[in-house]
Structure formats: structure tokens, C-alpha cells
Amino acid sequence: MPVTEWYIIKSLTVPSSWIAVILAILITGIVLWRIFGKVTEQWFSDTAILFLLAWKLSVIITDFDMIIDFPLSILYFNGGTTGLFIGLIVALARLLWLLRRQGWPERELVSMLIALVMVQSLYQFIMVLLNETALWQKVITVVLFAGFTTLTWLKASISSVWRIQLTLLFLGVHIFVSLIQPLGMFQTPLFVTGLFVISVVMVYYKTNKHNKLKGGKL
């Protein structure tokens, strides 16, 4: 969904995509806390804060010369798209390390998939509300992401096989939605979903290996 609206907050001009990211994270955190409890909400909050900090501070890497010349500019800029992926990789790596240390608990693997789907879906919903595009594109985006979020809530806890299937289907749904949106497939949210899919596949591989070592079954 293209950014067509910008908002002025004091001295900052903020794109609607920033607002969508923050609201998606906040709403997802509240839902996880209400449904899964404090432990799940804690790792989600820690991961979200780490992502936002890494994204914000990534400007030191992406625009090092500017930060050296104007140190206070770090307050007003972030690392852009490159910094976004730096933040995601750092946050997801830390989350996977935490889950590995805990022995890949089933409950948290379920909540992780739900969280990833919810954040992306809520981001899409809010972008639809805040930006201008054709009504049919908005309707298809909302219906497909809402439907898939519901399916994930219903099926994610059944088995790890279901989770990997849901993950791949989520990528397929997002690719389809991207094709009917103005920016097509070359848009950051789709690449973010791709990174989410890679993370879940890695978890599936690790848990499969972990269960085999314990003599368990998927």
C-alpha cells in the first residue's frame, strides 16, 4: 500500500507507514498479553523495542558521515529501508536465540506465528485507513488479511506442520495482495513478510531437529 499521507507531529513530519508500524505493534502486544499472558507479552515487547531502537540507531551505519558532522541529526532520522531490515534481523535473531534457550516451547512458537501475522495484517489495515487508493484494492487487502489472521488463530496451535503450512500460505496471500496494489511486488512490507517466513522456517527446522534428538515426533 503506497504512502499518500504525512502527518506533522511537533517538528517532525511523519509518514503514515510509521504510524501504522507503531499501532500494529501496540495492538498486537495488547492482544498477546490478554490471550497468552505476561511471559509472551514480555518477549514480544522486548523484541519490538529492540527492533525500533536498532532501526532508529541504524542511521549511524547508513549515514555515518552525516552523524559525524551533525550528531543531533540522530534524533530526527533513521536508517530508512536498509535500517528497517537491520532492525528486523537483529530483533528476530534475538527472539530465536531466546526461544532456543527455552527449548522451543510450543506455546511461544504458536504465539510467535500469530504475532508475526497480526503485526503485518494490522499494518495493512491501518495503511488502508490512512492512505488513498482504489476502494476495490482496499477491500481485497482487508478481506484477505483478516481472513488469514482468523485462520492462523484457529489452526496455529494444532501442530508444527500446520504452522509451516500457514507460514507459506501467508507469503502466498501477501504476494497476491501485493500484485493488486499500486506498488506491486517490489514493496518493503512483502520483503518483511519474506523475512518472517525465513524465520519461521528456521524455527521449524530447529524444532524438528530438537524433537528428533529427544526421540519425539512432530
Side-chain angles (χ1 to χ4, degrees):
M1 190 65 62
V3 175
T4 62
E5 300 296 330
W6 296 69
Y7 300 89
I8 298 176
I9 302 176
K10 292 188 177 181
S11 60
L12 295 177
T13 301
V14 179
S16 56
S17 57
W18 289 18
I19 297 174
V21 167
I22 298 299
L23 288 178
I25 290 173
L26 287 175
I27 295 171
T28 300
I30 292 171
V31 172
L32 292 178
W33 169 62
R34 295 290 294 179
I35 301 299
F36 291 97
K38 186 176 180 180
V39 173
T40 298
E41 188 277 332
Q42 186 65 54
W43 67 247
F44 177 80
S45 298
D46 290 347
T47 301
I49 291 171
L50 180 59
F51 157 67
L52 293 172
L53 285 175
W55 182 19
K56 180 65 177 175
L57 297 177
S58 64
V59 68
I60 298 173
I61 298 174
T62 59
D63 292 286
F64 182 74
D65 292 338
M66 179 186 70
I67 298 301
I68 292 298
D69 294 335
F70 306 100
L72 289 180
S73 62
I74 197 172
L75 300 175
Y76 302 97
F77 297 97
N78 57 60
T81 301
T82 300
L84 174 70
F85 284 101
I86 291 174
L88 282 172
I89 291 171
V90 169
L92 288 172
R94 196 263 180 186
L95 174 58
L96 296 184
W97 172 81
L98 177 63
L99 293 176
R100 178 179 179 273
R101 191 178 67 173
Q102 295 177 353
W104 307 107
E106 181 82 6
R107 180 182 175 85
E108 303 311 328
L109 294 180
V110 171
S111 63
M112 182 187 76
L113 177 58
I114 290 174
L116 296 180
V117 171
M118 278 197 65
V119 167
Q120 183 63 269
S121 297
L122 286 168
Y123 172 84
Q124 295 290 330
F125 298 159
I126 297 167
M127 287 293 286
V128 162
L129 291 174
L130 296 182
N131 296 281
E132 294 299 323
T133 189
L135 178 60
W136 67 272
Q137 293 171 326
K138 291 187 175 185
V139 170
I140 292 176
T141 298
V142 170
V143 168
L144 287 181
F145 275 102
F148 190 83
T149 301
T150 302
L151 180 65
T152 302
W153 273 102
L154 293 174
K155 301 296 185 180
S157 60
I158 294 177
S159 68
S160 59
V161 174
W162 260 106
R163 286 193 289 277
I164 196 67
Q165 291 174 339
L166 287 168
T167 302
L168 297 176
L169 182 58
F170 185 47
L171 179 60
V173 168
H174 200 162
I175 288 174
F176 177 79
V177 172
S178 296
L179 288 173
I180 60 97
Q181 289 181 346
L183 296 178
M185 290 186 63
F186 296 98
Q187 51 179 297
T188 301
L190 179 57
F191 295 134
V192 170
T193 292
L195 187 57
F196 286 170
V197 169
I198 291 172
S199 299
V200 175
V201 170
M202 287 177 61
V203 168
Y204 178 79
Y205 170 78
K206 293 292 187 181
T207 53
N208 186 25
K209 184 177 179 181
H210 178 74
N211 287 337
K212 285 183 178 179
L213 289 174
K214 290 176 62 178
K217 296 182 179 180
L218 291 176

